Amino acid sequence: MIQTAFAESYPSRRNRLARQMQHTAKSSVRLQKDTSNLFRDRLDEAGEALSVRDFNHLLEIDTAERTLVSEGMNPYGELVDASLEYGFMPLVVPQLKTITIGGAIAGIGIESTSFRYGLPHETVLEMEVLLADGSVVSCTPDNEHADLYYGLPNSYGTLGYVLKLKTPALPVKPFVRLDHTLYQDAQEFFDAIAALQHSDIDFLDGSVYGPNEHYITTGRFVDTAPFTSDYTYLNIYYKSVRARETDYLTVKDYIWRWDTDWFWCSKNLYVQNGLMRRVVGKKRLNSQTYTRVMRWNSKWGATRFLNRIGGFHCESVIQDIDIPIQHAAEFLAFLLNEIGVLPIWICPIGTGENASRFPLFSMHPNATYINFGFWDAVKSRTKHPVGYLNRKIEKKTAELGGIKSLYSDAYYEENEFWQIYRSNEYWALKDRYDPNGKFLNLYEKSVLRK
Ligand SMILES: Cc1cc2nc3c(=O)[nH]c(=O)nc-3n(C[C@H](O)[C@H](O)[C@H](O)COP(=O)(O)OP(=O)(O)OC[C@H]3O[C@@H](n4cnc5c(N)ncnc54)[C@H](O)[C@@H]3O)c2cc1C
């Protein structure tokens, strides 16, 4: 086992933070850190800020037991660098470098290993959580805090903060061979994904560029590569999916293949042009830069202003939706016909046997879901009610037995929300772990944007 040492030990920093939490007044506490991938603007930044910037270390790696112990606010970018040094990666690494391991549990993550290992929260072995009263509890699937172990995923910091967690580690090889296969028919595409789920590949995701253009990308670890491509500067990964059948990347470049261009969303910042990429520079071509620009834009309303003078009404449609695979073709047709956002990222999820035990993100156990990721602003000359398209998506998701991530806008009525995200279990957890309401509740945070 390798343990990493720091100027101030984890227990010392944890105890200091716990004391700070004990002395916070009964108000809405919020996390203070350098990055965030939350895509809904808070209406009110009030509340006491708890600085957790220094909970960003990999504490242990056990190469024999194949486990990692990381601090909760460790961004995957750093966690991956540290674990690759020992020939391992976390089982599921979300695509954006600044997503933290605790954030992916509290706010749901996913990636191309999810077809085999499920969502990141399903892989957690043990976690230490800071509660509203300043105490710290350890939760496992079967100890006295098992309710919090299952309740924390999708709780968005409304039950406590994950400070430390133990997860399995996946041994890697130096390279990944990618194969991109085109399917014209949507049903054949989803059938092929289902068939691949039990094959010997290591990675599986897909992308849809149009009604007759669905690509499956499989990845396999390999020891050697005849060549390697580079999508960290002038070449753009998502364009390569349509342009080549086979490709090779280093394992690190594979893990971050979507980060350089934020999937394809960098197009909104005009940096998919070669000249612009040179001007911006390799170092700044990443999701962190784009998030900063989008936040600035959201604050100052530059795009809103341009749309207004152009006579457009614009709705932000930034969602990740999980749909049982048997309804995936129907959901895709709905997205193409009624929403119109392209491309769409597709990622299969093979849920584990405990998937229905997570009350705030309950899925059928041992089932296959398809994650649809679509992120854009839809322009129209017609003025619709606020959240018009997002409401349609919420209704269709419910109709097809799916579930939606809450990192972006949600428009649910309160009753409807609590039916999906299970009010009984949630309020029982709130009573036990935050009886004085020091944290906001999930509806306030994710729909009312408090
Ligand atoms: C445009 C966009 C694309 C995305 N794409 C992907 C993707 O491709 N793959 C993927 O897996 N996910 C994706 N996500 C979702 C992302 O994983 C979640 O939003 C996640 O919660 C972000 O983690 P963060 O560390 O940035 O947390 P933050 O954005 O800082 O916080 C998110 C919420 O979680 C709470 N929180 C943060 N850390 C902790 C903690 N340690 N303990 C308890 N609560 C905590 C915060 O209070 C906050 O309410 C995407 C999100 C966006 C906005």
Side-chain angles (χ1 to χ4, degrees), residues 33 36-39 94-95 100 103 106 109-110 156 162 407 445:
K33 54 194 185 73
S36 168
N37 289 281
L38 211 51
F39 234 73
Q95 299 81 341
T100 65
I110 183 170
Y156 280 92
V162 184
Y407 67 77
K445 210 163 177 182

Side-chain angles (χ1 to χ4, degrees), residues 1 25 98 141 159 176 213 265 271 306 325 328 351 354 416 421:
M1 183 193 301
T98 56
L159 295 173
V176 177
E213 202 184 352
C265 301
V271 292
L306 291 176
I325 193 165
T351 61
N354 289 328
E416 187 190 5
Y421 301 101

